[in-house]
Amino acid sequence: MNSSTLKYILIVILLLILPRVSMAEKGMPFHALDVSFDIEKSLLRGISRITLPDGRETLIHTDNLNIISVKLNGKPIKPEIGNGTFGIKSETRSGHEKGSILEIVHEATFENDGRLDDTTNYGVVSKSVIGKKGIFLTGNWYPAIEGLSYYNLTVTLPEDYEAVSEAEEIKAEIKSGVREFSFKFPHPVDGISLIASRYKVVKESFRGIDIYAYFFPEDISLASTYLKYTKKYLELYEKLVGKYPYKRFSVVENFLPTGYAMPTFTLLGQDVVRLPFIVETSLGHEILHQWFGNLVYIDYEKGNWAEGLTTYLSDYLYEEQKGRGLEYRKQILIDYESYVTSGNEIPLKNFISRTDPASKAIGYGKGAMVFHMLKKIVGEERFYRSLKAFIGEKRFQKASWADIKRMFEEISGKDFGWFFRQWLDEKGALVLEIKNLKIKGKGAQWAAAFDIVQKGKPYILDIPVIIKTDRGEIKEVVRVNSEKKSFEIFTGGRPTEIILDEDYDVFRKPSSKEIPPVIARLLGDEKRLIVLPQKDGEIYSDMVELFKRKGFSVKEEKEVKEEDIKTSSLLVLGSENIIVKRLFGKIEYQPSGFIFMIKENPWNSLRVIAIACGDSKEEVNAAAKKIFHYGKYSMVAFKEGENIEKRIDKSERGLRMPLTGPVVGVAVAKILDMNEIINRVSDKKIIYVGEAHDRYEHHMVQLEVIKALYKKNPKIAVGMEMFQRPFQKALDDYIAGKMDEKEFLKSSQYFKRWGFDYNLYRDIIEFAREVKIPVVALNISREIVNKVSTAGLDSLTEEEKREMPESMDLTDEKYKNSLREVFKKHKGSENRNFDLFYQAQILWDETMAQSIDKFLRKNPDHQMVVLAGDGHMSFGSGIPKRAFRRNGFDYAIILNDTAPERDIADYILFPEQITLPSSPKFMVTLSEKDGKVKIEGFPKDSVSEKAGLKENDIIISLDDTRIGSIDDIKIFLLYKKQGDTVKVRVLRKRFLLGEKELEIVVTL
């Protein structure tokens, strides 16, 4: 008789005595499992001896195991195995024996097969492994009994191995060069695991509990820290939820990236345990699972409640103890908004386990918020009393959300059907809005009136409300139970702002202003596009493949269209990428290493733009996989794979709505004259002087500023919005005296391209010509602006795109909103596209900023006065900040006749109105075609019509000046004054008599 045969007989004897009978009497199977290994071949061999309870069928899951033999009460049988499962019913046996014994001999191979588990989603490991690094067996690695059962496990391993399983008692003996482990756990479980490797083991005791640390030799120095924190968590949770339920607890290091908790131990991946913050976060979470999930089991068919509860009493609780509870709750809402979409959204009652960030946001995040809201309703004392009662009743049993609901109702004496129904059965996060805000004067008091509106199916909610006033703030909690509910809250002072749920006590959808641009919003989007750079793209090649496996699509930067930006979140590679420059102008770039930053998408507030910049392929590869663990950040920077900086951009706290703006005033104790203002701005590199285009007094102010600055510094230039860059040579030649005014106006196409009376600007141009100071055409071609305003930037040809600035910033939301108001006032705006209008405006501003920068870089000793409409200068949004982005030159803004607002300008002037000495007019409506100018009509009391001109007359000449364009007429009139007579020679068609030239005298 060999040793293995003897061992088998001993196992049979052991299984035939009391444990089998006692377990069968409890109506649960008893499973004695004996396994051994051929580690070189990744092979497991096992014998299962299962005592079946009388009177019912037991389901056995074999999955992909190789079943060598099956016996029932010693007799070979061939069960029908379908989809890896078969059913077996206990036979009636003679005598006093109860239950039948099912014996299954099996084996299985669990190879690593070179796969890499998803390190971007720690804790989710795809399958069991037997290999040189160790043994990781969980799930169906043995013939698993469906439902709760009792287990005894015996394992034979190499002599230098240590092993862990669900056990309150572990015995190990060395026999014939091998080590035999025996694991006993006196409670029913729904499955067991086995972890084994060449561990070093450290043991301590705490309050009658044996605490172990199983660590790899290279990490054994971490053991003392983990044991120290384990004691801290055991003490915490014994106070909160009751006595630790077992005699031992082990922290076990794994060679796979796991984050699991089983009864009596937790299994943490090697990369995880090395992270310094894990002892303060994940360790406590897994220890708490000893109560929730491993003492009270989860009835998975009715949903997983344990992850939400454990998250709330661990990860969240630790942050709350540090005074950061509201930040954690807000992050839950942001993660839900970022990762959960219509395609992956499920009700909380349907959550089973974490498989990806979306399921985590539902089961862990929303689940935690449900328990937070429940605690707010019942109070802290009843909350923990209810949990202790729940644990006491459901020890070593499966429990569901219904059991939690019932226990809270019993302890509180209240009906919580409505609460659990709305938060468990309904999908998503509720949407709140504030509508119909009004301020009312109530005698000596004030009142704020408002509606709280729920979008979709209404919930029953207790919403914290804060009313800020000029004398402090009022806090109330209001009950909302309908789609719209109206409130009126009395305040002592004048209300200035209303805030709903400032501390994030309600699970809801945050407003766009509450959500910062964060990495999670990129990773969780349904449509994600990688934008490849033209240069140095190779250093990102491995990163591109990684993100492609995550569902990202790829385009070259030149292939990206406006529609792509509007409908996708983008991952833009390289700081010199065209998309970066076209959307953001320039970015702050980490001088070395790797940086990953998130910005709001200017074309779609629901999406984001990520910008990734790396110095080398090595730097990119060292950091790329880690990005998935930094979802809550707006920017992360790495050096040689180590995080050196991280940041979350600011966002609003709570759902906020202003009631009234603060009343502001301007101190008028000292009114400055022009000389004082000039003295104050004369040291600025750029002085912006705004205008209403048709106000002559504004242009006279501009001229006065230019002259005064010229006296202080002759190295001055004038930048003018009114001229377009292709006509710079005409300006240069005129200023230099190489052409006369008529030729200049014709060559610059002034009248075609600007349209305002040239007399408005004539004095300024003449002064510049007289003293020979440069005048810079700032604007882009009108044809390009018009094309963009009707069809967008994508409509431009490659040649037209070369005229555009490479750098453009579309992120100024305040400017965008002000332009939207301007757009609405335009006639026919309801039939036009605001986005195209906005593109054209930004193109206009950026071109002028670029023109300023280009001149000053070529002429570093010069100062510039910029003349443009007020809208391009107010608050610095149009041109000033865009020029500053390019060169950092200091500037001042002077506006005319503008209502004072905070930060609108440095100085506001109020010149007296001056009447423009404008040119006389012919009072005709003209059209131009093929070098001919035709009269289309006349306004009322037209001097030309009275003189004898008629519709359809073709104007040939004025006095002796040949006319070939409307510009020729405008230039001619520039040198006339009212009362002058003009000989107008026209070609007139006569009925049946043909054409005839006529000369008609018109008095202007």
Side-chain angles (χ1 to χ4, degrees), residues 553-605:
S553 55
V554 181
K555 279 190 178 184
E556 298 282 345
E557 61 182 0
K558 285 192 173 181
E559 298 174 337
V560 176
K561 302 296 184 185
E562 180 186 325
E563 188 63 20
D564 295 318
I565 301 173
K566 285 183 175 180
T567 59
S568 306
S569 284
L570 306 187
L571 170 52
V572 184
L573 304 179
S575 61
E576 296 301 312
N577 199 299
I578 290 173
I579 301 301
V580 174
K581 293 181 177 180
R582 289 279 168 85
L583 295 177
F584 307 110
K586 69 176 183 178
I587 61 167
E588 299 172 5
Y589 178 58
Q590 189 75 15
S592 62
F594 177 82
I595 188 168
F596 197 98
M597 66 179 71
I598 304 291
K599 292 182 173 290
E600 294 284 0
N601 187 327
W603 291 130
N604 186 342
S605 62

Side-chain angles (χ1 to χ4, degrees), residues 72-103:
L72 183 62
N73 294 325
K75 297 177 182 179
I77 62 171
K78 289 187 177 181
E80 293 185 9
I81 301 176
N83 296 321
T85 302
F86 70 89
I88 191 78
K89 193 168 185 179
S90 177
E91 293 181 345
T92 302
R93 302 178 65 194
S94 60
H96 298 289
E97 296 178 358
K98 291 185 178 181
S100 297
I101 297 175
L102 178 70
E103 177 193 288

Side-chain angles (χ1 to χ4, degrees), residues 191-204:
I192 58 171
S193 306
L194 177 64
I195 314 300
S197 189
R198 294 178 175 87
Y199 289 119
K200 297 290 184 183
V201 183
V202 178
K203 175 188 175 183
E204 292 185 10

Side-chain angles (χ1 to χ4, degrees), residues 495-507:
T496 58
E497 186 179 27
I498 181 171
I499 309 167
L500 300 190
D501 192 28
E502 185 181 48
D503 291 338
Y504 299 96
D505 290 316
V506 178
F507 185 73

Side-chain angles (χ1 to χ4, degrees), residues 674 678 687-693 695-709 716 718-722 760-761 763-764 767 865-870 873 894-896 909 911:
M674 179 64 81
I678 294 298
I687 299 93
Y688 296 92
V689 189
E691 64 179 63
H693 300 311
R695 296 282 296 276
Y696 184 51
E697 62 270 21
H698 293 181
H699 301 295
M700 290 297 95
V701 165
Q702 291 171 332
L703 178 60
E704 190 173 347
V705 171
I706 294 168
K707 287 182 175 181
L709 290 170
I716 193 172
V718 178
M720 297 187 71
E721 176 191 8
M722 306 78 206
L760 292 163
Y761 303 98
D763 293 336
I764 295 171
F767 175 75
V865 179
V866 176
L867 312 182
D870 288 346
M873 298 179 180
I894 301 173
L895 299 181
N896 287 286
L909 306 179

Side-chain angles (χ1 to χ4, degrees), residues 4 143 219 247 309 553 611 709 780 793 797 825 862 899 973:
S4 62
D219 296 320
K247 296 177 182 177
L309 179 54
S553 55
I611 304 167
L709 290 170
I780 196 167
L793 294 170
T797 65
K825 295 174 183 177
H862 274 61
L973 291 173

Side-chain angles (χ1 to χ4, degrees), residues 236-278:
L236 170 66
Y237 291 123
E238 285 197 338
K239 288 179 181 177
L240 289 181
V241 294
K243 185 172 176 57
Y244 177 71
Y246 307 117
K247 296 177 182 177
R248 63 178 286 148
F249 179 77
S250 302
V251 179
V252 185
E253 186 177 12
N254 193 10
F255 57 91
L256 293 174
T258 52
Y260 289 157
M262 292 82 161
T264 72
F265 73 99
T266 183
L267 185 63
L268 300 174
Q270 185 173 46
D271 288 343
V272 176
V273 300
R274 291 174 174 177
L275 297 171
F277 56 83
I278 291 299

